[in-house]
Structures are given as structure tokens and as C-alpha cells.
Amino acid sequence: MSGVCQSGQCIQGVLSPRMGLRLQEFATAASGMVGDSWPKSHAGGSLHDPSVYLLDYVPVDLRLEVSHAFVVGFSNCMATFAYLLRQKQFPKPALMRQCIGFVPGLDKGATASYFQAGGRPEYAIDAVLARCEEDVVEAASLGMVEDGVLQEALEALPACPMDDRFDLVRQALFQNSAVWPCGPYSMDEEQYQGDDGWVHYDTSGWSGQPGQ
């Protein structure tokens, strides 16, 4: 696999137009599904490790008692990720924190609850990247064609070797981030490694520049 942009249109040299569109569409859909999967019978309440879409990408210790507002805030992070992609911005965690309060239609109170409880943009980004990649790989292995409308939109964009380099996009997004997430985190397994309690990617061999 090549690690060099050949389209001349990759944001930060790694996010190709087709990759950006895929992630944008997935994040938009995922944001809605996260909110819709909260049990309506507990609207406004709290639950222990609720069966909410993609919430297993939030570390276990933050899921022991989850409020509805926390889940909405998690959803808001995905919506912000998609919003920045539509603006042709590279949605790094720090930029998401700066911009989330300005994204139209999001519940600012829920966003504040998410961050105050220890939630981070990184968890939402990790979920979107991992599950979007999983969907793309599965579709390719089964010879499936993507959604017709999306497929048509993708084909209208320039092809690039970076179109399937989720690894380099992840590396660039989390570079210099305080947290390197690696979900999903199962409630039934030993989750944490190291003194700080987080699972980190091994960055010892990185050159500092994606693709090198």
C-alpha cells in the first residue's frame, strides 16, 4: 500500500477526498444512531453501561454510570467530526473541542456534561474510524457495492492511494494528542495496560510524518 498522496487534494497529506466523504457520511449516520439507541424509557436519566451504539469505544470506567446527557455529548462529537469534514477541515481532537460549541443544532449542555464526566473527542473519532474501516473492509471482502448514492458520489471524486489508509489518517489525527484510544473496551475483559490505565499505540517507530 502506498503512503503518498497522488491526487494533490489530500488534507494534511493523508485525508483523501474519498476517505473524507466516507468518514463524513459514516459519522453523520453514527451520530444519529447513538442518540436513537438510548432507551426512551430512561430519557434524562442514567444507566449502567447502557447498550448504546458505539459506546463501547468509551473506556469502561466512564460507562459505570452513564447519563443521557453524556450519550448526547458523545453523539455531538461525531456530529462535529462530520461538520468539520464538510468544511474541508482536518478534525483533530483539539479543533473539535474548539468548534463543537458552534456547530448548529447541538445541545451545548449535553456537550458540557460529556466533557465534565471525562469524555473526550478521541473516543468518538476512534469509534468512527474503526467501524467505518470495518464496513469498508467487509464490503470489499464480500464483493459488495456500497450504497448507490454514496458510490456515485465517491466515483465523482479523484482516486488516490490514500483512499483506504485509515491507519495513516488515525496516526495524523491523534498525533500530539494526550490520549491514544484503542477501543472497543469490553466490560468483561482486562482493559488497561501501563501505569496510566490507557491502551496506547506504539509510536516508537514513527518518523513524525504520516506516510514516511
Side-chain angles (χ1 to χ4, degrees), residues 137-186:
V137 171
E138 181 179 9
S141 67
L142 297 176
M144 298 169 56
V145 178
E146 299 187 69
D147 171 81
V149 175
L150 175 58
Q151 184 64 31
E152 184 176 340
L154 289 171
E155 291 177 353
L157 296 172
C160 178
M162 305 300 289
D163 288 344
D164 62 353
R165 295 307 304 267
F166 286 89
D167 57 330
L168 296 182
V169 171
R170 176 182 287 273
Q171 176 180 322
L173 282 170
F174 294 142
Q175 198 167 31
N176 301 320
S177 178
V179 171
W180 293 79
C182 191
Y185 308 98
S186 171

Side-chain angles (χ1 to χ4, degrees), residues 3 47 50 61 67 70 76 87 91 93 102 127 132 134 147-148 160 168 198:
L47 290 170
D61 58 329
S67 69
F70 182 93
N76 287 350
Q87 305 303 315
F102 303 102
C132 184
E134 181 180 306
D147 171 81
C160 178
L168 296 182
W198 297 105

Side-chain angles (χ1 to χ4, degrees), residues 9-66:
Q9 298 185 37
C10 290
I11 300 173
Q12 296 290 309
V14 296
L15 184 65
S16 73
R18 291 188 180 188
M19 172 72 82
L21 179 59
R22 275 200 179 97
L23 291 175
Q24 174 191 315
E25 292 296 314
F26 185 92
T28 298
S31 175
M33 292 173 68
V34 167
D36 291 344
S37 59
W38 178 266
K40 291 182 172 57
S41 59
H42 288 79
S46 298
L47 290 170
H48 168 73
D49 192 30
S51 297
V52 169
Y53 182 62
L54 297 181
L55 196 63
D56 53 344
Y57 283 84
V58 172
V60 170
D61 58 329
L62 299 183
R63 300 189 341 245
L64 299 179
E65 190 70 21
V66 179

